[in-house]
Amino acid sequence: MLERKLEEATVSDRQFGVAQGAASHGRILELIRTAGGLSRQQLLSATGMSRATLYERLDALGRAGYVYEAEALAATGGRRSRNIRFDDRGRVILALALGQTRATASVADTDGSVLRSVTLDHDIADPAEDVLAPLVEAGQSLLASREASESLIGVGVGFPAPIEAGTGRLVHATTVPTWRADAAVTLLGGTWDVPLVVENDAMAAALGERSGDDETLVYVKVGTGIGCGIVIDGSILRGARGAAGSIGHIRMAREGPICRCGRHGCLAAFSSGLAISHNFSSNRHLGLDEIRVAAEQGDEEVNQILRSAADILGSALSATITTINPHRLVLGGRIGSLPVFIDGVRERVLTDVVERISDGLAVDAGAPDDRSAVRGLATLVMRKVFAPQTVDDSISNSLQATGQTA
């Protein structure tokens, strides 16, 4: 794995025009961070830089708090070298993962592991201020209880609507028709003086569910609604307008039940948690948590309705699976992660797609809560905060302030 990362990094340096091994401070940090730590000799081999130049840049990265010398490595003769690691000590990320009926505010480490969190009920159709203000308060409370060594480096927000990459603006958001396109950025951007990332919730969760950057993955969240994210080689597939994976509005029947978008027969009108909750006998009114409990207890009516919804979802997903040819299909959310639901989707998908697509395809359960989205949001924040160009600019400004050159 390490050798592969070094090889990929060397190729990447050539692609970006790094001449004579003159890797920038940001590229060196990226090598160290993605590999989980490297020795000076490994960095010399990967970059082709001169020893003096590499050591000078490592020194600048160390003084800026980006890297530190960690454990000693095995002796190879002479003085033992030490592992150079990315300095993630005390760095934390605030992740706000919004769904249609509940949201989670979490403080996570740089790997996206949740340190502490709180979940709130809400209605995403309410005015933006009413939805976001309690989350801001929850986030501030979580950060106020932090350890003295913790330092907030960024905020990530997952949202159940298409998001314009780079701007965080909502695009054709049928779930929040009254919100301004820039509501999330405007209302959250000035709260914390750190970089802000806004992403579609299912796309963030897809990134959080990946097992590695060489995996092609299709992730589907089935909660109140249906969301889908696709990750290829560690990158989110966004589409031309940020709406790739909007499978909830695939029309499954011209005369089907009405969807929240106003059309008839959308997938979400058959297979979303909201649709499922409306399909029980007239004397039963079950919320999503109650559906989970009933399914786990073997309630036959509940499981039959779940199997029917899963079969329709599996039919819709078959075209996506055939087109993308992923390693894994992951089903998350309070409804999607139920074993009976996963089994129904798996059976339909494996029946519908051809063998060369289905061979080796894994259909797995994702997290029923927002942990996947938190991991994905943490990844996106880290990529923004520690992007090579951002690091280079920071080092350059620091050196100029002291009269030095990069």
Side-chain angles (χ1 to χ4, degrees):
M1 179 64 73
L2 175 58
E3 288 75 10
R4 180 179 176 182
K5 286 184 177 293
L6 293 177
E7 181 181 350
E8 289 175 347
T10 304
V11 171
S12 180
D13 279 342
R14 296 195 197 104
Q15 291 173 338
F16 284 98
V18 180
Q20 287 88 41
S24 71
H25 297 86
R27 286 290 296 129
I28 293 170
L29 178 63
E30 186 175 54
L31 281 174
I32 294 169
R33 193 167 68 81
T34 57
L38 294 169
S39 69
R40 288 176 171 81
Q41 186 56 52
Q42 288 171 323
L43 285 165
L44 287 170
S45 298
T47 63
M49 299 174 69
S50 72
R51 188 177 300 270
T53 302
L54 174 66
Y55 285 16
E56 180 182 23
R57 295 191 176 177
L58 286 175
D59 181 63
L61 287 168
R63 283 186 281 107
Y66 288 114
V67 300
Y68 69 102
E69 286 193 347
E71 71 279 5
L73 300 173
T76 57
R79 181 182 177 185
R80 285 191 176 189
S81 60
R82 303 188 72 85
N83 214 14
I84 309 299
R85 289 192 178 276
F86 165 63
D87 196 349
D88 59 355
R89 297 171 298 183
R91 288 186 159 115
V92 297
I93 293 159
L94 177 64
L96 307 177
L98 286 77
Q100 293 191 29
T101 59
R102 63 175 52 177
T104 303
S106 303
V107 173
D109 64 18
T110 57
D111 291 327
S113 296
V114 175
L115 303 176
R116 51 193 181 275
S117 68
V118 61
T119 299
L120 309 173
D121 291 329
H122 69 193
D123 185 345
I124 198 69
D126 286 344
E129 293 81 358
D130 294 347
V131 172
L132 294 177
L135 271 176
V136 168
E137 184 177 344
Q140 290 173 327
S141 178
L142 289 170
L143 290 169
S145 64
R146 63 189 174 190
E147 300 289 336
S149 61
E150 286 184 0
S151 173
L152 180 68
I153 62 170
V155 176
V157 183
F159 203 82
I163 301 295
E164 185 178 71
T167 69
R169 293 171 61 88
L170 306 176
V171 183
H172 302 299
T174 58
T175 53
V176 284
T178 64
W179 285 37
R180 300 190 316 274
D182 63 349
V185 175
T186 301
L187 295 174
L188 297 173
T191 304
W192 296 280
D193 188 22
V194 292
L196 172 70
V197 172
V198 182
E199 184 56 88
N200 170 264
D201 62 335
M203 290 183 176
L207 195 63
E209 285 284 358
R210 79 198 193 287
S211 60
D213 285 348
D214 57 350
E215 180 179 52
T216 297
L217 178 141
V218 173
Y219 168 85
V220 179
K221 177 184 177 182
V222 185
T224 303
I226 295 178
C228 176
I230 299 165
V231 174
I232 301 174
D233 294 336
S235 296
I236 295 170
L237 179 65
R238 303 181 185 282
R241 294 173 182 82
S246 297
I247 64 170
H249 299 291
I250 296 174
R251 179 169 283 178
M252 305 302 294
R254 288 186 176 276
E255 304 302 325
I258 192 166
C259 178
R260 293 180 69 180
C261 73
R263 305 197 314 164
H264 284 270
C266 289
L267 174 62
F270 289 101
S271 300
S272 68
L274 182 63
I276 291 169
S277 69
H278 290 162
N279 282 338
F280 298 109
S281 53
S282 58
N283 62 334
R284 299 192 75 178
H285 304 282
L286 301 181
L288 267 58
D289 291 330
E290 294 169 313
I291 292 172
R292 281 192 65 87
V293 172
E296 291 165 351
Q297 292 177 343
D299 186 303
E300 186 50 40
E301 182 189 16
V302 168
N303 283 335
Q304 181 56 45
I305 290 172
L306 287 169
R307 283 191 288 268
S308 176
D311 184 73
I312 295 171
L313 174 59
S315 178
L317 280 173
S318 295
T320 301
I321 297 300
T322 300
T323 302
I324 302 299
N325 187 23
H327 295 92
R328 286 196 301 147
L329 167 63
V330 178
L331 298 165
R334 283 183 283 171
I335 299 300
S337 60
L338 284 166
V340 64
F341 197 87
I342 294 170
D343 289 344
V345 171
R346 180 188 293 112
E347 181 178 354
R348 171 53 60 190
V349 168
L350 297 184
T351 298
D352 285 357
V353 303
V354 297
E355 185 176 356
R356 63 179 176 273
I357 300 295
S358 64
D359 185 31
L361 172 68
V363 182
D364 296 333
D369 52 24
D370 290 321
R371 284 172 292 172
S372 301
V374 171
R375 286 195 298 270
L377 291 169
T379 297
L380 292 169
V381 168
M382 291 293 290
R383 289 179 178 178
K384 181 172 185 175
V385 173
F386 298 104
Q389 188 60 58
T390 301
V391 173
D392 289 342
D393 291 344
S394 175
I395 293 289
S396 178
N397 292 338
S398 177
L399 292 176
Q400 287 177 10
T402 59
Q404 302 177 64
T405 57

